[in-house]
Amino acid sequence: METIATGFLAPWGMAFVNSHELVITERIGTVKILNPDTGTIISLTGVPAVLADGQGGLMDVAVSPDYPDTRKLYFTYTKMVNGQGVTTLAIATREGNRLSHWHDLIVTDSGTNTGRHFGSRIAFDQQGHIFFSVGDRGERPHAQNTSNHAGSILRLNLDGSIPKDNPFLNRKGYRAEIWSYGHRNPQGLVFDVKTGRLWAIEHGPRGGDELNLIEKGRNYGWPIISYGKEYWGPIAVGEGTAKVGMEQPRKVYIPSIAPSGLMVYQGDAFPDWKGNLFTGALKLTHLNRIVLSDEGIPVAEERLLDDMNERIRAIAQGPDGLIYFSTDSGKIARLKPTGIHVWEKNISN
């Protein structure tokens, strides 16, 4: 592990623009560009006011698939609407050291009086669509209420319009942007272009963090089914761990690791890790590596960097094939290969 920068304020999201520019969001509402080789940092102007309250603020950032031509960046952030914070997807154009033409593509219907569970990560399927996650906003029933956006993963065209093949388009009682629902607080989302699989990882309550394979129109059960327990006692949440018509997670963490960020590794620096998923752990402070079978079943797990005692928040693969991550303490670091054999712990789900 190599620390390449320090002093960031809760670096929440990050994405590579090119080999020498890593764009990083700070939850308080600032956007910075880090050169990972020189350590040079510049700030981008043009970010509107965000509601940095509770778990909300400026969250994820993603580089548009057509960035070299359009210089577009996507952001999720918390916006105040009628006195309540809502998760919002926005797009802006980078012009040198400023962001121009900031535009909200969707201000979700997800407002509550709590400061919890905003989500929110962004993923592209490289077919003209953008996905992003919205938490249940601290109100459990909202995740099963398809007349709002809370507790859902949404799918839009890159310009913010609604795809004609979305599962609930023109269906009464459903928001047309919803791709899947029944989620608690998904803070990791990634589309594997090699397999066509969309993965999400979300916080459970007390135990029961879930890695889910996200499929069109499916209900992932929260809060009717869960592997977690109530915070106030060892009591099961909802009706149990399974119910007809609700999807099962591909992997469950008991006890909770508090996952954040999700990446599928496809680089050459760590050839044995190709196709593996990586997520940060906030509560159990490590980098979690998940080995998948060809069928997308988790078959092994490794917990890296647990001696750092750092809450790992965001993860990105660099153009150099190295693995970059941020910590809540304000560090940006990367993993470089050493040739040392690593172990895997066999797991069952």
Side-chain angles (χ1 to χ4, degrees), residues 20-37:
H20 57 276
E21 290 185 312
L22 176 61
V23 58
I24 298 167
T25 58
E26 294 178 308
R27 197 180 64 83
I28 58 171
T30 51
V31 180
K32 295 179 177 177
I33 301 286
L34 167 68
N35 185 317
D37 295 317

Side-chain angles (χ1 to χ4, degrees), residues 10-264:
W12 212 98
M14 60 185 193
F16 276 91
V17 174
N18 51 50
S19 62
H20 57 276
E21 290 185 312
L22 176 61
V23 58
I24 298 167
T25 58
E26 294 178 308
R27 197 180 64 83
I28 58 171
T30 51
V31 180
K32 295 179 177 177
I33 301 286
L34 167 68
N35 185 317
D37 295 317
T38 66
T40 303
I41 300 170
I42 62 172
S43 296
L44 300 186
T45 62
V47 183
V50 306
L51 177 64
D53 180 60
Q55 296 173 357
L58 183 57
M59 295 177 289
D60 208 13
V61 58
V63 177
S64 177
D66 56 4
Y67 180 86
D69 297 322
T70 65
R71 304 189 69 77
K72 300 290 187 184
L73 297 172
Y74 290 85
F75 299 90
T76 53
Y77 74 106
T78 308
K79 184 172 185 171
M80 181 73 81
V81 177
N82 297 325
Q84 298 179 327
V86 300
T87 299
T88 301
L89 176 70
I91 189 171
T93 303
R94 182 187 173 197
E95 296 179 351
N97 292 346
R98 64 184 290 265
L99 295 170
S100 67
H101 303 94
W102 184 286
H103 173 64
D104 293 338
L105 293 179
I106 178 172
V107 180
T108 65
D109 179 9
S110 61
T112 70
N113 291 321
T114 79
R116 302 190 299 275
H117 301 178
F118 293 93
S120 170
R121 296 288 178 184
I122 300 170
F124 302 104
D125 64 2
Q126 306 302 322
Q127 298 174 18
H129 306 116
I130 184 171
F131 299 88
F132 74 103
S133 58
V134 184
D136 69 5
R137 293 294 288 104
E139 297 288 348
R140 293 180 178 181
H142 286 196
Q144 291 294 321
N145 180 3
T146 53
S147 65
N148 66 37
H149 295 117
S152 300
I153 292 172
L154 309 184
R155 178 182 184 248
L156 299 172
N157 294 318
L158 294 182
D159 63 1
S161 60
I162 301 172
K164 297 185 183 301
D165 60 344
N166 268 14
F168 303 117
L169 188 68
N170 300 321
R171 185 169 169 180
K172 186 176 180 180
Y174 288 79
R175 289 300 180 99
E177 298 87 357
I178 294 175
W179 186 254
S180 66
Y181 63 100
H183 301 285
R184 185 173 182 265
N185 191 23
Q187 286 196 357
L189 189 68
V190 67
F191 188 89
D192 187 342
V193 295
K194 290 188 178 294
T195 63
R197 296 180 183 128
L198 178 66
W199 294 96
I201 198 161
E202 63 183 85
H203 292 259
R206 190 158 63 93
D209 299 337
E210 295 182 1
L211 173 68
N212 284 302
L213 178 61
I214 304 301
E215 297 184 314
K216 181 178 181 178
R218 301 294 178 87
N219 180 356
Y220 288 81
W222 175 258
I224 297 173
I225 60 173
S226 173
Y227 286 83
K229 304 295 184 184
E230 295 288 0
Y231 286 109
W232 46 266
I235 306 298
V237 173
E239 301 176 11
T241 58
K243 188 171 184 177
V244 174
M246 296 181 179
E247 301 303 307
Q248 282 290 297
R250 290 294 174 101
K251 178 174 170 57
V252 175
Y253 292 90
I254 301 173
S256 173
I257 67 169
S260 185
L262 190 63
M263 179 195 78
V264 58

Side-chain angles (χ1 to χ4, degrees), residues 12 14 121 187-189 201-203 209-210 253 256-263 277-290 301-305 310-316 323-328:
W12 212 98
M14 60 185 193
R121 296 288 178 184
Q187 286 196 357
L189 189 68
I201 198 161
E202 63 183 85
H203 292 259
D209 299 337
E210 295 182 1
Y253 292 90
S256 173
I257 67 169
S260 185
L262 190 63
M263 179 195 78
L277 295 175
F278 286 81
T279 186
L282 301 173
K283 180 180 178 182
L284 294 193
T285 60
H286 68 272
L287 183 63
N288 196 266
R289 181 171 74 93
I290 305 162
E301 174 190 355
E302 182 181 8
R303 299 190 174 191
L304 298 158
L305 308 178
E310 291 275 9
R311 291 165 56 90
I312 296 178
R313 176 69 63 173
I315 313 170
I323 296 173
Y324 292 73
F325 61 92
S326 70
T327 70
D328 279 3

